[in-house]
Amino acid sequence: MLKTISFLALIILHFSCKTPEKKHNQLSAVIDHSLKVATQQSLRMAESLKDQPDKLPQTIDKKGDLVTCNSAWWVSGFFPGVLWYLYENDPTDSLRLWAENFTMRVEDQQYTTDNHDVGFMIFCSFGNGYRLTGNPEYKEVIHNASKSLITRFNPTIGCIRSWDYASWSAQWQYPVIIDNMMNLELLEWSAKAFNDTTFSHVARTHANTTMKNHFRDDYSSYHVVSYDTITGAVEKKNTSQGYSDDSAWARGQAWGLYGYTMMYQETGDKVYLEQATHIADFILNHPNLPEDKIPYWDFNAPDIPNALRDASAGAIMCSALLELSGYVSQEKTDSYLKIAETQLRSLSSDKYLAKPRENANFILKHSVGHMPNKSEVDVPLSYADYYFVEALMRAKELVKQGKM
Ligand code: GLY
């Protein structure tokens, strides 16, 4: 009898010691595998564009062939950013040379003043490049881009204008989209690097105005809020890329979550942290968030559970939750990390992660760009890849610190 009890005790001890380590190792293995796939796919992608020096990866067409863009399209900075993160993970000469090569393809966007996307374009490429190399030329590009971006700030409205397109002028006087929150990181960074409070004043005013006008009572957000250019009052609230004006477009919720998490990280202002946790609560408690935690393209898509998923929204949310988990109570940390881990594992599964040489060398499958326009539906997108690789790097660090 005593022997049996000792034997059972030994087994219990064995499993209680082994289980956390085993779980830990398994997650590291998932992360390492995905980073390996990402590296192989991205090196092939870079190689495939070596003879088209002004092109950057965007998505695929109906035949599954690569679609590229030039530097002026809003996604241009993501692939250079992917290469920088992969270089950070595995500092080889080839990754660095390609990262430098693709970063320089975006350089002319530092002077862009006709849209708000200069933050995405320059900070994902040159921002990561500067973080990892300290190249002073990159720093100057970031400075110029910040100066370009703040030309779009209107103090009466308290926001940076998102779009200028002439065809939309009839629809919106002064459109500001939730995605614009992402561009504020460029400004907060520049405020510190160049000791210039103008940049942080613009970023914080924009974040505060957006917090006031973009969010509904349940902390879901509209996509577009347009303002009256004379009075500064709200003119219209729409959800142009979502199912309907009142719906919760998944990527919009992800941009908001990431945007306010980043604003807290940059400023330490608790108001932004509270906003980020409210947005996280909306997403995490939503009855339409599926088991694998990769959202449908819109939380209110009418054909749920048959609606398409948006891997890009899942990747952005995952990266944001990993960051946010470091700033909240233990209870919230546990819940954010649990969801982020599920997202990471889902995106690393065969359902979403590309097989070598498939998916036109993008990393993730199954994102939705603009459903109402029927463009880029159920395809790879360079920004899904960027935020996925960023999330992998963040998770890798948390695993190293024993927090995941
Ligand atoms: N910034 C455009 C999008 O999220 O589709």
Side-chain angles (χ1 to χ4, degrees):
M1 181 65 178
L2 196 63
K3 258 188 165 171
T4 316
I5 291 172
S6 323
F7 181 65
L8 281 176
L10 262 174
I11 289 185
I12 290 166
L13 193 70
H14 173 82
F15 279 103
S16 59
C17 291
K18 276 284 176 200
T19 306
E21 198 187 324
K22 204 169 156 208
K23 180 178 172 280
H24 171 107
N25 287 340
Q26 279 171 350
L27 181 58
S28 320
V30 169
I31 293 169
D32 286 343
H33 174 71
S34 291
L35 283 170
K36 191 168 151 209
V37 171
T39 303
Q40 291 167 345
Q41 290 288 89
S42 301
L43 285 172
R44 277 191 287 266
M45 175 72 88
E47 190 72 29
S48 77
L49 291 173
K50 70 169 185 289
D51 297 328
Q52 298 174 70
D54 56 348
K55 296 293 180 204
L56 294 122
Q58 180 179 331
T59 184
I60 57 170
D61 62 17
K62 294 259 181 305
K63 291 190 299 204
D65 294 333
L66 175 65
V67 172
T68 58
C69 61
N70 63 27
S71 68
W73 186 234
W74 76 278
V75 308
S76 61
F78 292 117
F79 183 62
V82 165
L83 292 168
W84 282 121
Y85 274 126
L86 294 174
Y87 168 70
E88 182 177 15
N89 180 56
D90 182 15
T92 61
D93 287 348
S94 58
L95 278 168
R96 179 165 178 153
L97 288 172
W98 282 126
E100 288 170 346
N101 176 312
F102 277 86
T103 293
M104 291 314 286
R105 297 181 188 209
V106 187
E107 188 189 12
D108 55 348
Q109 293 309 312
Q110 65 187 300
Y111 301 115
T112 286
T113 54
D114 67 358
N115 68 73
H116 71 154
D117 291 317
V118 64
F120 278 124
M121 297 190 284
I122 296 295
F123 208 60
C124 297
S125 53
F126 284 88
N128 279 307
Y130 183 72
R131 182 172 64 80
L132 296 171
T133 66
N135 181 342
E137 284 166 26
Y138 289 4
K139 191 174 180 187
E140 205 38 49
V141 171
I142 299 169
H143 198 190
N144 290 334
S146 303
K147 288 190 252 180
S148 299
L149 184 56
I150 61 167
T151 63
R152 301 183 61 76
F153 179 71
N154 176 326
T156 308
I157 290 165
C159 276
I160 295 165
R161 182 181 177 125
S162 293
W163 299 322
D164 279 359
Y165 309 127
S167 57
W168 292 352
S169 298
Q171 196 175 342
W172 296 298
Q173 283 191 44
Y174 193 98
V176 179
I177 64 175
I178 188 68
D179 326 22
N180 205 337
M181 285 298 303
M182 302 296 285
N183 294 304
L184 307 182
E185 190 170 3
L186 170 78
L187 298 182
E188 284 295 343
W189 189 89
S190 285
K192 294 178 198 98
F194 304 107
N195 196 21
D196 187 340
T197 53
T198 319
F199 295 130
S200 52
H201 169 74
V202 169
R204 287 164 212 208
T205 309
H206 180 102
N208 296 342
T209 309
T210 300
M211 201 153 63
K212 198 163 99 207
N213 297 325
H214 257 81
F215 289 86
R216 309 182 181 111
D217 290 347
D218 62 1
Y219 292 96
S220 68
S221 54
Y222 291 93
H223 175 210
V224 189
V225 173
S226 181
Y227 294 88
D228 184 307
T229 48
I230 296 170
T231 64
V234 170
E235 180 210 13
K236 282 181 186 166
K237 296 190 180 190
N238 300 108
T239 298
S240 161
Q241 272 173 250
Y243 168 63
S244 72
D245 283 342
D246 294 325
S247 70
W249 171 50
R251 197 162 53 256
Q253 312 318 302
W255 291 141
L257 175 67
Y258 193 116
Y260 283 97
T261 302
M262 174 277 294
M263 280 305 285
Y264 175 68
Q265 180 189 342
E266 291 295 328
T267 66
D269 187 336
K270 286 265 179 336
V271 171
Y272 301 137
L273 179 61
E274 259 176 54
Q275 186 72 6
T277 55
H278 285 314
I279 302 169
D281 287 346
F282 171 82
I283 294 171
L284 271 42
N285 298 327
H286 202 289
N288 288 344
L289 184 67
E291 249 336 71
D292 70 0
K293 309 301 176 195
I294 306 304
Y296 298 102
W297 71 278
D298 189 305
F299 281 92
N300 305 102
D303 50 343
I304 288 172
N306 299 316
L308 288 170
R309 306 297 188 86
D310 179 10
S312 77
I316 299 160
M317 285 171 187
C318 178
S319 186
L321 287 172
L322 291 169
E323 185 65 35
L324 189 58
S325 72
Y327 307 129
V328 290
S329 67
Q330 193 58 50
E331 194 191 337
K332 279 203 184 298
T333 297
D334 293 345
S335 108
Y336 296 168
L337 289 182
K338 189 160 169 252
I339 303 285
E341 181 172 338
T342 305
Q343 290 172 323
L344 216 56
R345 287 179 182 276
S346 301
L347 294 173
S348 297
S349 73
D350 285 349
K351 181 172 175 189
Y352 293 99
L353 190 67
K355 290 257 180 302
R357 295 184 177 75
E358 290 184 359
N359 209 31
N361 295 322
F362 286 97
I363 303 163
L364 289 181
K365 305 178 276 186
H366 304 309
S367 289
V368 172
H370 197 317
M371 183 69 97
N373 271 2
K374 298 190 173 49
S375 73
E376 301 184 337
V377 174
D378 199 17
V379 290
L381 291 167
S382 56
Y383 43 100
D385 288 0
Y386 177 85
Y387 291 102
F388 178 52
V389 173
E390 182 181 80
L392 289 167
M393 294 298 286
R394 286 180 173 180
K396 188 169 175 162
E397 183 56 33
L398 289 169
V399 168
K400 201 164 109 193
Q401 294 172 10
K403 294 183 179 159
M404 273 184 105

